[in-house]
Amino acid sequence: MTMQQFKCITILLLLVCNSALWAQQDPQYTQYMYNPININPAYAGTRGVTTIFGLHRAQWVGLDGAPVTNSASLNAPVGKNVGLGVSFINDKIGPTDTNVIAADFSYTIPVNNDYKLSLGIKGSVQLFNVDFTKLNIYDPSDPRFSANINNKLTPNVGAGAFMYSENSYFGLSVPHILETNNYSDNEISVVKERFHVYAMAGHVFDLAYNWKFKPAALAKVVQGAPLQVDLTANVLYNDKFTLGLAYRWSAAVSALAGFQVSDGLFIGYTYDTETTKLANYNSGSHEIFLRFELFKKYEKVMNPRFF
């Protein structure tokens, strides 16, 4: 093992241990504003069309065992003021592999001529796996590592609120309310999922010459971990091309791009680079997503909403 490899493994283990001892972090997304349903069930159906969304995120590329996240979701309005959604998330980091299947329900209440308030609930099931054979164990005879963890099932519930107009949105949510232990050692929680509180907001400003500007912010609070704040600034030209920059407080800066291929298909890409010493041991993070929307017959969205 080279010294460079040793440093990379040491840094990753410190990051994983910090998460395990204090709080299991939910997967993070740089372009969260295009599909908030993973963190806020109240978003289900609020776009007024059937939305199919798929995302792949490779974090800290080049670092062994770094997080890799894949997610897919479908949500749609169903009847008057009701939205439904289903989603699947696979998150891998080091020897762990976590799958989450969730269902979302939302009910929308008109507030005034401009704003609507959507209230949502989420039901989810998590399947947690640990493959100890992927670790270099100091004492192979240690009974704590003699058997892998396979599909440990944990149910959970969540809730959220999402207020929105054609140009603005505000959201508050707790996607997992129940605190659960995924793995314990001698009755001491080693991998514990604590509830995360998310707050988000954004606004679209109409500029001249077919330009639009949307600042957005996302804050995440979880016990035992630092406050995480994402600040994003996107510009949209001619309702087709999107470019932007994002800053994750004391963690990373990102470049964002997107293209509205057709009325129903949008594709986006993000590149993150670390602002910490971790940047010395990886080549950045990549995130790509597709959003496909099915419109009602004879109906066309001439001015796609920017969130």
Side-chain angles (χ1 to χ4, degrees), residues 243-255:
L243 291 174
L245 295 173
Y247 175 63
R248 181 167 295 121
W249 198 268
S250 299
V253 293
S254 309

PDB file of all heavy atoms in Angstrom, residues 243-255:
ATOM      1  N   LEU A 243     -27.618  27.466 -16.564  1.00  0.00           N
ATOM      2  CA  LEU A 243     -26.264  27.466 -16.039  1.00  0.00           C
ATOM      3  C   LEU A 243     -26.298  28.034 -14.627  1.00  0.00           C
ATOM      4  O   LEU A 243     -27.123  28.904 -14.324  1.00  0.00           O
ATOM      5  CB  LEU A 243     -25.321  28.306 -16.911  1.00  0.00           C
ATOM      6  CG  LEU A 243     -24.996  27.778 -18.303  1.00  0.00           C
ATOM      7  CD1 LEU A 243     -24.180  28.800 -19.077  1.00  0.00           C
ATOM      8  CD2 LEU A 243     -24.219  26.463 -18.206  1.00  0.00           C
ATOM      9  N   GLY A 244     -25.411  27.537 -13.774  1.00  0.00           N
ATOM     10  CA  GLY A 244     -25.438  28.042 -12.416  1.00  0.00           C
ATOM     11  C   GLY A 244     -24.209  27.660 -11.611  1.00  0.00           C
ATOM     12  O   GLY A 244     -23.358  26.877 -12.051  1.00  0.00           O
ATOM     13  N   LEU A 245     -24.136  28.234 -10.424  1.00  0.00           N
ATOM     14  CA  LEU A 245     -23.089  27.943  -9.454  1.00  0.00           C
ATOM     15  C   LEU A 245     -23.742  27.654  -8.118  1.00  0.00           C
ATOM     16  O   LEU A 245     -24.809  28.186  -7.804  1.00  0.00           O
ATOM     17  CB  LEU A 245     -22.125  29.117  -9.323  1.00  0.00           C
ATOM     18  CG  LEU A 245     -21.285  29.477 -10.548  1.00  0.00           C
ATOM     19  CD1 LEU A 245     -20.505  30.770 -10.293  1.00  0.00           C
ATOM     20  CD2 LEU A 245     -20.316  28.339 -10.890  1.00  0.00           C
ATOM     21  N   ALA A 246     -23.089  26.813  -7.322  1.00  0.00           N
ATOM     22  CA  ALA A 246     -23.600  26.487  -5.994  1.00  0.00           C
ATOM     23  C   ALA A 246     -22.442  26.442  -5.009  1.00  0.00           C
ATOM     24  O   ALA A 246     -21.293  26.154  -5.383  1.00  0.00           O
ATOM     25  CB  ALA A 246     -24.343  25.153  -6.008  1.00  0.00           C
ATOM     26  N   TYR A 247     -22.770  26.727  -3.752  1.00  0.00           N
ATOM     27  CA  TYR A 247     -21.766  26.667  -2.689  1.00  0.00           C
ATOM     28  C   TYR A 247     -22.344  25.916  -1.500  1.00  0.00           C
ATOM     29  O   TYR A 247     -23.403  26.285  -0.988  1.00  0.00           O
ATOM     30  CB  TYR A 247     -21.359  28.080  -2.259  1.00  0.00           C
ATOM     31  CG  TYR A 247     -20.410  28.107  -1.084  1.00  0.00           C
ATOM     32  CD1 TYR A 247     -19.146  27.535  -1.176  1.00  0.00           C
ATOM     33  CD2 TYR A 247     -20.772  28.712   0.120  1.00  0.00           C
ATOM     34  CE1 TYR A 247     -18.269  27.557  -0.101  1.00  0.00           C
ATOM     35  CE2 TYR A 247     -19.895  28.753   1.196  1.00  0.00           C
ATOM     36  CZ  TYR A 247     -18.651  28.168   1.079  1.00  0.00           C
ATOM     37  OH  TYR A 247     -17.783  28.187   2.145  1.00  0.00           O
ATOM     38  N   ARG A 248     -21.695  24.845  -1.124  1.00  0.00           N
ATOM     39  CA  ARG A 248     -22.070  24.099   0.082  1.00  0.00           C
ATOM     40  C   ARG A 248     -21.139  24.576   1.189  1.00  0.00           C
ATOM     41  O   ARG A 248     -19.939  24.407   1.124  1.00  0.00           O
ATOM     42  CB  ARG A 248     -21.948  22.593  -0.149  1.00  0.00           C
ATOM     43  CG  ARG A 248     -22.334  21.750   1.049  1.00  0.00           C
ATOM     44  CD  ARG A 248     -22.488  20.284   0.667  1.00  0.00           C
ATOM     45  NE  ARG A 248     -23.597  20.101  -0.254  1.00  0.00           N
ATOM     46  CZ  ARG A 248     -23.459  19.585  -1.466  1.00  0.00           C
ATOM     47  NH1 ARG A 248     -22.275  19.206  -1.913  1.00  0.00           N
ATOM     48  NH2 ARG A 248     -24.514  19.467  -2.261  1.00  0.00           N
ATOM     49  N   TRP A 249     -21.733  25.169   2.204  1.00  0.00           N
ATOM     50  CA  TRP A 249     -20.993  25.905   3.236  1.00  0.00           C
ATOM     51  C   TRP A 249     -19.863  25.058   3.818  1.00  0.00           C
ATOM     52  O   TRP A 249     -20.063  23.961   4.318  1.00  0.00           O
ATOM     53  CB  TRP A 249     -21.943  26.325   4.354  1.00  0.00           C
ATOM     54  CG  TRP A 249     -21.397  27.419   5.216  1.00  0.00           C
ATOM     55  CD1 TRP A 249     -20.690  27.285   6.373  1.00  0.00           C
ATOM     56  CD2 TRP A 249     -21.504  28.823   4.975  1.00  0.00           C
ATOM     57  NE1 TRP A 249     -20.360  28.504   6.872  1.00  0.00           N
ATOM     58  CE2 TRP A 249     -20.848  29.477   6.038  1.00  0.00           C
ATOM     59  CE3 TRP A 249     -22.102  29.581   3.962  1.00  0.00           C
ATOM     60  CZ2 TRP A 249     -20.770  30.862   6.118  1.00  0.00           C
ATOM     61  CZ3 TRP A 249     -22.025  30.959   4.042  1.00  0.00           C
ATOM     62  CH2 TRP A 249     -21.363  31.578   5.104  1.00  0.00           C
ATOM     63  N   SER A 250     -18.637  25.574   3.701  1.00  0.00           N
ATOM     64  CA  SER A 250     -17.429  24.937   4.239  1.00  0.00           C
ATOM     65  C   SER A 250     -17.230  23.517   3.712  1.00  0.00           C
ATOM     66  O   SER A 250     -16.671  22.668   4.415  1.00  0.00           O
ATOM     67  CB  SER A 250     -17.473  24.911   5.776  1.00  0.00           C
ATOM     68  OG  SER A 250     -17.534  26.209   6.294  1.00  0.00           O
ATOM     69  N   ALA A 251     -17.688  23.249   2.482  1.00  0.00           N
ATOM     70  CA  ALA A 251     -17.561  21.893   1.959  1.00  0.00           C
ATOM     71  C   ALA A 251     -17.196  21.848   0.480  1.00  0.00           C
ATOM     72  O   ALA A 251     -16.245  21.168   0.099  1.00  0.00           O
ATOM     73  CB  ALA A 251     -18.846  21.108   2.202  1.00  0.00           C
ATOM     74  N   ALA A 252     -17.963  22.552  -0.390  1.00  0.00           N
ATOM     75  CA  ALA A 252     -17.744  22.387  -1.823  1.00  0.00           C
ATOM     76  C   ALA A 252     -18.314  23.552  -2.610  1.00  0.00           C
ATOM     77  O   ALA A 252     -19.192  24.278  -2.136  1.00  0.00           O
ATOM     78  CB  ALA A 252     -18.384  21.078  -2.302  1.00  0.00           C
ATOM     79  N   VAL A 253     -17.804  23.719  -3.826  1.00  0.00           N
ATOM     80  CA  VAL A 253     -18.394  24.624  -4.806  1.00  0.00           C
ATOM     81  C   VAL A 253     -18.756  23.787  -6.028  1.00  0.00           C
ATOM     82  O   VAL A 253     -18.112  22.768  -6.306  1.00  0.00           O
ATOM     83  CB  VAL A 253     -17.445  25.767  -5.202  1.00  0.00           C
ATOM     84  CG1 VAL A 253     -17.208  26.706  -4.036  1.00  0.00           C
ATOM     85  CG2 VAL A 253     -16.126  25.217  -5.731  1.00  0.00           C
ATOM     86  N   SER A 254     -19.795  24.212  -6.748  1.00  0.00           N
ATOM     87  CA  SER A 254     -20.316  23.386  -7.831  1.00  0.00           C
ATOM     88  C   SER A 254     -20.647  24.219  -9.056  1.00  0.00           C
ATOM     89  O   SER A 254     -21.015  25.391  -8.945  1.00  0.00           O
ATOM     90  CB  SER A 254     -21.586  22.649  -7.382  1.00  0.00           C
ATOM     91  OG  SER A 254     -21.390  21.974  -6.158  1.00  0.00           O
ATOM     92  N   ALA A 255     -20.518  23.580 -10.219  1.00  0.00           N
ATOM     93  CA  ALA A 255     -20.975  24.159 -11.477  1.00  0.00           C
ATOM     94  C   ALA A 255     -22.148  23.326 -11.960  1.00  0.00           C
ATOM     95  O   ALA A 255     -22.098  22.091 -11.948  1.00  0.00           O
ATOM     96  CB  ALA A 255     -19.859  24.154 -12.512  1.00  0.00           C
TER      97      ALA A 255
END
